[in-house]
């Protein structure tokens, strides 16, 4: 069966042929028609009646073909279902193209980050060389070798992620783009029903993936638990025969203490605990971490280096992890609320919504950068902006009337108390859950 486009092509060909025949017929008519009577001119005839008859037949035949083709054209527009199917197919093609472009951009960003790290390494090396020339060569060389040894250990370590959700993926991508960790040395595990998480991260950075937590634990020097705390007991129990003092355990599970992990595993372990936030997805997390007494200085360097790949990291005693959770762990949600309210204020004042949001976000970003770079107390920076009787002090006064600062303080306190409550929840241990030293 011929398609609509085929029919239209045939119709166009016939119309072109008819136009050509009419032009030729006009020429024949000019040859065979009687000449006009002018003074001293005689009529003439070419005797080409046969040509006139031929072109008359051709014109009639082509016209008949055109009528037939027009009759064969569909009388109705494509059905809505057919149109929707065509639109859906086009949309799928566009989505695939956009996905391919996004992956290419992300891989380019990873490559660019690696280049930056290499350039930074070269710069640091040049500084070390200069330091060697101006200081005691023996002590500087010893320190340099130690630093290079730790960095080389990072790159050669096998890192295993139990769980490949948003936070786990953010950490993996940050580690690889930093240039300190090799993709082929990183493995992530997830249940079969969560294979889409593994497919997603593998398509971006090409790490190793598995559905077996035991296989992951066997081959990993560092095991990172990036799973919901609600399944921590079951997962650690499953892996406890493989976990041992030779492996560093890093937990980013909220509400699961380092001591609890050892209790579930029924043995002493080198355990670190960290609380990153969702800004890790853009490598701007503020992360507090703690280590138990069995962790070494090399473990501390590893954990610090790993968490620094996704933003700012600071070591704290474990008793302060929950306050850090209430502040920085939950902090992005507070900031999003403030940002949303500021943008709404801009809209109320007449700004377009997209512009208001961009202004609010960049204002928050710039203000934070001022605190970080200057090291000044936020109150001092705020006072430096407030002019007597000015717009800023009027706006701040409204915040004070609404107890804005008190509300944020209460939010951090409430989140901290809830974190302590989770930390103190009794996790049901099995009958043999007594720690073996």
């Amino acid at each position: 069966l011929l398609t609509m486009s085929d029919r239209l092509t045939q119709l166009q060909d016939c119309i072109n042929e008819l136009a050509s025949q009419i032009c030729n017929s006009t020429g024949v008519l000019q040859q065979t028609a009687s000449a006009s009577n002018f003074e001293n001119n005689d009529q003439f005839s070419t005797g080409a009646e046969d040509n006139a008859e031929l072109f008359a037949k051709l014109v009639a035949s082509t016209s008949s073909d055109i009528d037939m083709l027009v009759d064969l054209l569909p009388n109705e527009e494509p059905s809505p279902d057919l149109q929707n199917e065509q639109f859906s197919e086009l949309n799928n093609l566009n989505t695939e193209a956009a996905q391919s472009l996004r992956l290419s951009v992300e891989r380019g960003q990873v490559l660019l980050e690696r280049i930056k790290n290499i350039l930074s390494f070269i710069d640091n090396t040049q500084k070390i060389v200069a330091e060697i020339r101006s200081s005691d060569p023996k002590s500087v060389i010893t320190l340099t070798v130690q630093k290079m040894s730790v960095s080389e250990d990072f790159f050669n370590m096998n890192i295993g992620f139990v769980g490949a959700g948003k936070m786990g993926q953010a950490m993996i991508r940050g580690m690889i783009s930093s240039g300190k960790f090799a993709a082929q040395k990183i493995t992530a595990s997830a249940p079969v029903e969560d294979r889409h998480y593994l497919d997603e991260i593998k398509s971006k950075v090409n790490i190793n993936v598995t559905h077996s937590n035991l296989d992951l634990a066997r081959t990993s020097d560092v095991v990172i638990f990036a799973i919901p705390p609600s399944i921590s007991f079951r997962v650690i129990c499953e892996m406890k025969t493989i976990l041992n003092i030779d492996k560093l355990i890093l937990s980013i599970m909220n509400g699961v203490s380092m001591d609890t992990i050892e209790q579930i595993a029924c043995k002493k372990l080198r355990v670190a605990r960290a609380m990153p936030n969702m800004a890790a997805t853009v490598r701007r997390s503020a992360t507090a971490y703690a280590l138990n007494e069995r962790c070494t200085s090399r473990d501390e360097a590893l954990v610090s280096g790993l968490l620094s790949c996704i933003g700012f990291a600071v070591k704290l005693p474990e008793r302060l992890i929950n306050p850090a959770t209430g502040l920085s762990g939950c902090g992005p949600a507070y900031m999003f609320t403030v940002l949303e309210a500021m943008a709404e204020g801009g809209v109320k004042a007449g700004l377009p919504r997209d512009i208001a949001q961009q202004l609010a976000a960049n204002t928050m970003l710039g203000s934070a950068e001022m605190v970080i770079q200057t090291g000044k107390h936020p109150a001092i920076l705020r006072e430096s902006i407030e002019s007597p009787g000015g717009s800023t002090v009027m706006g701040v006064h409204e915040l004070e009337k609404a107890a804005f600062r008190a509300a944020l303080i209460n939010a951090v306190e409430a989140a901290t108390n809830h974190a302590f409550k989770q930390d103190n929840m009794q996790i049901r241990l099995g009958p043999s859950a007594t720690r073996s030293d």
Side-chain angles (χ1 to χ4, degrees):
L1 295 177
L2 296 177
T3 63
M4 168 72 84
S5 60
D6 294 329
R7 296 291 187 193
L8 291 175
T9 300
Q10 289 181 338
L11 182 59
Q12 182 64 54
D13 291 341
C14 285
I15 292 173
N16 292 339
E17 184 178 353
L18 179 62
S20 176
Q21 291 168 357
I22 290 175
C23 289
N24 291 331
S25 298
T26 302
V28 170
L29 290 173
Q30 288 177 340
Q31 292 178 349
T32 59
S34 300
S36 299
N37 290 324
F38 294 99
E39 188 177 353
N40 300 324
N41 281 351
D42 296 329
Q43 293 184 354
F44 68 92
S45 174
T46 61
E49 289 82 358
D50 292 342
N51 288 337
E53 182 179 355
L54 172 63
F55 278 104
K57 291 180 179 179
L58 288 174
V59 169
S61 175
T62 304
S63 299
S64 176
D65 290 341
I66 290 175
D67 290 338
M68 180 186 67
L69 289 172
V70 170
D71 291 338
L72 291 174
L73 291 176
N75 294 324
E76 298 179 357
E77 293 291 328
S79 66
D81 290 341
L82 179 59
Q83 289 181 337
N84 290 335
E85 183 180 347
Q86 292 172 341
F87 287 146
S88 177
E89 184 177 351
L90 288 174
N91 186 57
N92 290 337
L93 291 174
N94 289 336
T95 301
E96 291 176 3
Q99 176 75 359
S100 176
L101 178 61
R102 183 180 64 80
L103 291 176
S104 297
V105 170
E106 288 181 349
R107 287 171 181 151
Q109 289 174 338
V110 170
L111 181 59
L112 179 61
E113 193 67 30
R114 288 181 179 176
I115 293 173
K116 288 181 179 178
N117 285 312
I118 291 172
L119 293 175
S120 176
F121 176 78
I122 293 173
D123 181 58
N124 290 333
T125 303
Q126 291 174 338
K127 291 178 180 177
I128 291 172
V129 171
E131 190 175 352
I132 291 174
R133 290 174 177 170
S134 61
S135 306
D136 177 17
K138 185 176 180 180
S139 61
V140 175
I141 290 174
T142 301
L143 179 61
T144 303
V145 170
Q146 289 176 348
K147 289 182 178 179
M148 292 179 67
S149 175
V150 172
S151 178
E152 186 176 337
D153 283 349
F154 289 178
F155 200 77
N156 291 323
M157 277 187 169
N158 292 309
I159 313 289
F161 278 81
V162 182
K166 289 183 179 179
M167 190 62 70
Q169 290 195 28
M171 293 181 67
I172 291 170
R173 293 168 64 181
M175 290 165 59
I176 294 173
S177 62
S178 73
K180 297 178 182 178
F181 299 87
Q184 64 269 25
K185 293 286 187 176
I186 298 176
T187 304
S189 66
V192 175
E193 58 269 23
D194 290 336
R195 66 164 61 91
H196 60 281
Y197 289 122
L198 299 180
D199 294 339
E200 183 179 358
I201 188 62
K202 185 172 178 62
S203 68
K204 293 176 180 176
V205 288
N206 197 30
I207 63 168
N208 305 303
V209 297
T210 179
H211 295 304
S212 172
N213 292 333
L214 291 178
D215 289 345
L216 177 142
R218 288 189 186 97
T219 59
S220 297
D221 302 306
V222 181
V223 178
I224 300 174
F225 285 100
I227 55 176
S230 58
I231 63 172
S232 59
F233 178 80
R234 175 176 59 81
V235 173
I236 296 174
C237 277
E238 173 194 355
M239 301 172 63
K240 67 181 182 180
T241 57
I242 308 298
L243 301 178
N244 56 57
I245 196 70
D246 295 328
K247 299 179 185 293
L248 174 62
I249 310 300
L250 173 59
S251 166
I252 61 171
M253 299 181 292
N254 183 29
V256 181
S257 68
M258 295 186 287
D259 188 59
T260 296
I261 292 174
E262 288 188 311
Q263 289 182 45
I264 299 173
C266 304
K267 62 185 71 173
K268 289 184 177 180
L269 299 169
R270 291 154 50 216
V271 184
R273 179 183 177 186
M275 182 45 61
N277 63 36
M278 281 311 299
T281 56
V282 291
R283 298 185 63 193
R284 293 304 299 265
S285 174
T287 306
Y289 69 92
L291 302 101
N292 71 2
E293 65 275 13
R294 278 170 282 285
C295 287
T296 65
S297 58
R298 189 174 292 272
D299 292 336
E300 181 177 350
L302 172 60
V303 172
S304 175
L306 190 155
L307 296 175
S308 295
C309 294
I310 57 171
F312 170 76
V314 60
K315 180 185 176 184
L316 295 174
E318 188 179 18
R319 61 184 176 81
L320 295 180
I321 291 295
N322 287 327
T325 299
L327 174 60
S328 58
C330 305
Y334 312 151
M335 296 300 101
F336 292 147
T337 303
V338 173
L339 196 154
E340 178 191 16
M342 288 178 63
E344 284 295 320
V347 172
K348 184 178 180 182
L351 290 171
R353 184 171 297 278
D354 58 335
I355 299 298
Q357 181 171 307
Q358 289 295 322
L359 287 172
N362 282 280
T363 298
M364 185 175 290
L365 182 64
S367 302
E369 196 64 37
M370 286 182 67
V371 173
I372 293 171
Q373 290 192 16
T374 65
K376 293 181 179 179
H377 194 283
I380 295 176
L381 293 173
R382 188 199 72 229
E383 290 174 359
S384 69
I385 303 171
E386 295 174 341
S387 301
S391 298
T392 302
V393 73
M394 297 298 290
V396 171
H397 178 61
E398 290 298 319
L399 293 178
E400 296 291 357
K401 285 165 59 177
F404 176 74
R405 288 194 299 168
L408 285 178
I409 293 171
N410 292 340
V412 174
E413 183 180 30
T416 298
N417 290 338
H418 186 267
F420 272 117
K421 182 179 178 181
Q422 284 187 308
D423 232 13
N424 293 329
M425 289 177 62
Q426 294 295 320
I427 297 181
R428 183 179 61 82
L429 303 178
S432 61
T434 56
R435 184 189 301 170
S436 60
D437 295 338

